[in-house]
Amino acid sequence: MSVDISTKITVKKASTSKISEVDFDNLPFGQVTTDHMFVCDYKDGKWQQPQVVPYQNISLDPSAKIFHYGQSIFEGMKAYKDNEDQIWLFRPLDNQKRINISAKRLSMPEFPEDYFMEGLKTLLKVESNWIPKTPGSSMYIRPFVLATGNGFHASPADEYKFVIACSPSGAYFGGEVKVLIEQNYSRSANGGVGFAKAGGNYAGQFYPTQLAKAKGYQQVIWTDDNTHEYIEEAGAMNVFVRIGDTLLTCPTSDRILDGITRKSIIAIAEEEGIPVEIRKISVKELVEASNNGTLKEMFGAGTAAVVSPIAGFGFQDKDYDLPTIENSYAVRFKKRITDIQYNRAEDPFGWRYQVK
Ligand SMILES: *Cc1c(COP(=O)(O)O)cnc(C)c1O
């Protein structure tokens, strides 16, 4: 798509600010929203004037396709403030590319790269005071696209809205996570939309996750839809396993989201000389490794928590506890990544991106 780069983003400032009502020392995750949002509408076959406007409700016709056919995609990213009040993003172009991969799969129009990056930067500069500085906190950023076009006919909408909303957030504490290896339900299937950050993927996860919670687990480990023999993701995170000192994760596919945290962990592990294997991981192998004491760690990886250590897993009515170990990979990768994100350490990978 050709874009007129001279298109200036219009900024309409809110007349009042909610910021004085916010307790920045006790921020929840993803609950507080800021004063402004970025919006850009798609109609007549093209993206219209991009704008930063006061944070507000979105009003839609009841026949809008989003309500019926679920054309909805999103991204999750964060902005970080360092000690000098400089603002940083982490690999933002990967999010920009990925939202368009999702868009294509859901028959939605792609959003131009410079609109995405300029929109994001303009919004973050307007909301700069909202980016929290308390340790572990950050500005969670939610870009999303929804089908606003009308009509009950089951076909792609002709109008869409691209939005970026922000939420100053405290550290994401999942607590001790016990997971259930899912043997009935599937998150995604061959040829499906599992690789896309499509809204419906998450709606479909809630019920099996509730069932797991009722059994005393906090999260589900998704297995392949065909055999349920191979692990694929941990809830809405990619999954890693440490057997002996080898780090294992399964290859991405059309069933698995290609996580930015996942690929960052793989790059760090390789740089640090940790043996990495990207291959299918069977539940049988996990059970055997647990029984013979070589299963040292399991953790989820994603933007919100960075890494989320798993304390144990349930499989076929049996629980397998993971040991508490020193020199955990989970802790090590989390520190490496967050030190880069908050500009506390060198970034040999070129992942950090300054907003200025
Ligand atoms: C977003 C997401 C991830 C993690 O991706 P990141 O880019 O690391 O945040 C993993 N799995 C699923 C299903 C996701 O939606």
Side-chain angles (χ1 to χ4, degrees):
M1 192 179 298
S2 83
V3 171
D4 181 3
I5 190 76
S6 69
T7 310
K8 285 272 190 300
I9 298 167
T10 50
V11 178
K12 285 183 210 145
K13 284 278 181 73
S15 52
T16 56
S17 175
K18 305 176 285 196
I19 199 164
S20 62
E21 295 159 27
V22 176
D23 177 2
F24 277 83
D25 292 325
N26 293 292
L27 284 170
F29 189 88
Q31 292 289 331
V32 177
T33 50
T34 65
D35 290 327
H36 300 86
M37 63 199 221
F38 173 80
V39 284
C40 189
D41 290 323
Y42 181 90
K43 63 177 177 202
D44 302 329
K46 60 178 196 297
W47 291 102
Q48 307 291 315
Q49 174 69 38
Q51 308 178 62
V52 170
V53 296
Y55 192 86
Q56 59 193 269
N57 289 350
I58 296 172
S59 172
L60 296 175
D61 187 285
S63 77
K65 305 262 186 192
I66 173 66
F67 297 135
H68 309 277
Y69 306 118
Q71 272 186 301
S72 129
I73 54 173
F74 67 96
E75 271 302 321
M77 50 202 303
K78 286 175 172 174
Y80 314 86
K81 224 177 216 180
D82 68 17
N83 288 334
E84 276 79 55
D85 282 348
Q86 301 177 106
I87 302 167
W88 302 92
L89 294 163
F90 185 71
R91 311 185 75 172
L93 286 161
D94 291 354
N95 297 96
Q96 185 274 325
K97 289 197 181 77
R98 193 169 64 189
I99 204 165
N100 285 340
I101 291 170
S102 300
K104 189 172 178 197
R105 181 62 183 82
L106 277 282
S107 262
M108 299 166 78
E110 293 180 20
F111 196 64
E113 177 185 320
D114 51 356
Y115 276 42
F116 184 100
M117 291 307 301
E118 289 308 311
L120 182 58
K121 285 191 275 185
T122 306
L123 179 63
L124 285 172
K125 281 186 270 185
V126 169
E127 302 297 53
S128 155
N129 288 340
W130 283 88
I131 305 175
K133 284 185 71 175
T134 38
S137 61
S138 60
M139 182 84 104
Y140 186 74
I141 304 166
R142 173 53 61 89
F144 62 103
V145 194
L146 65 154
T148 52
N150 299 337
F152 294 124
H153 188 261
S155 58
D158 54 1
E159 295 186 2
Y160 297 86
K161 191 181 283 291
F162 178 96
V163 184
I164 305 177
C166 294
S167 173
S169 292
Y172 189 100
F173 284 122
E176 175 161 295
V177 182
K178 273 181 67 191
V179 296
L180 178 66
I181 298 191
E182 184 59 59
Q183 293 295 290
N184 297 305
Y185 297 96
S186 299
R187 191 191 84 87
S188 57
N190 287 326
V193 297
F195 67 94
K197 274 185 121 70
N201 282 342
Y202 306 84
Q205 289 185 213
F206 295 155
Y207 178 64
T209 306
Q210 276 170 3
L211 296 179
K213 284 187 175 160
K215 289 184 184 164
Y217 302 94
Q218 285 78 46
Q219 200 48 268
V220 165
I221 295 281
W222 301 105
T223 48
D224 69 290
D225 65 306
N226 204 12
T227 66
H228 293 294
E229 283 175 23
Y230 297 92
I231 64 165
E232 302 213 314
E233 296 219 51
M237 288 183 280
N238 294 114
V239 64
F240 283 87
V241 176
R242 173 179 176 182
I243 296 180
D245 285 332
T246 302
L247 183 71
L248 297 152
T249 192
C250 47
T252 53
S253 70
D254 56 2
R255 299 184 307 272
I256 297 176
L257 200 288
D258 187 3
I260 295 162
T261 316
R262 173 187 176 277
K263 62 184 180 184
S264 304
I265 288 173
I266 293 170
I268 289 169
E270 285 172 346
E271 189 225 36
E272 294 192 2
I274 292 169
V276 180
E277 288 179 19
I278 300 172
R279 59 165 174 82
K280 286 164 60 168
I281 304 159
S282 69
V283 183
K284 191 165 163 265
E285 181 178 2
L286 286 185
V287 168
E288 277 169 14
S290 177
N291 287 339
N292 70 26
T294 54
L295 181 63
K296 291 194 187 165
E297 285 181 72
M298 287 175 70
F299 54 92
T303 295
V306 189
V307 296
S308 173
I310 292 169
F313 67 89
F315 175 62
Q316 291 178 344
D317 299 324
K318 233 189 123 184
D319 280 335
Y320 299 83
D321 291 332
L322 274 91
T324 32
I325 57 164
E326 282 171 30
N327 305 318
S328 110
Y329 283 175
V331 171
R332 180 163 161 183
F333 296 137
K334 181 164 187 169
K335 183 170 186 328
R336 260 320 281 282
I337 291 180
T338 52
D339 281 352
I340 291 173
Q341 290 170 332
Y342 288 90
N343 192 27
R344 291 189 295 245
E346 285 303 306
D347 173 18
F349 307 98
W351 290 336
R352 207 156 46 213
Y353 180 105
Q354 190 169 7
V355 177
K356 51 180 184 195

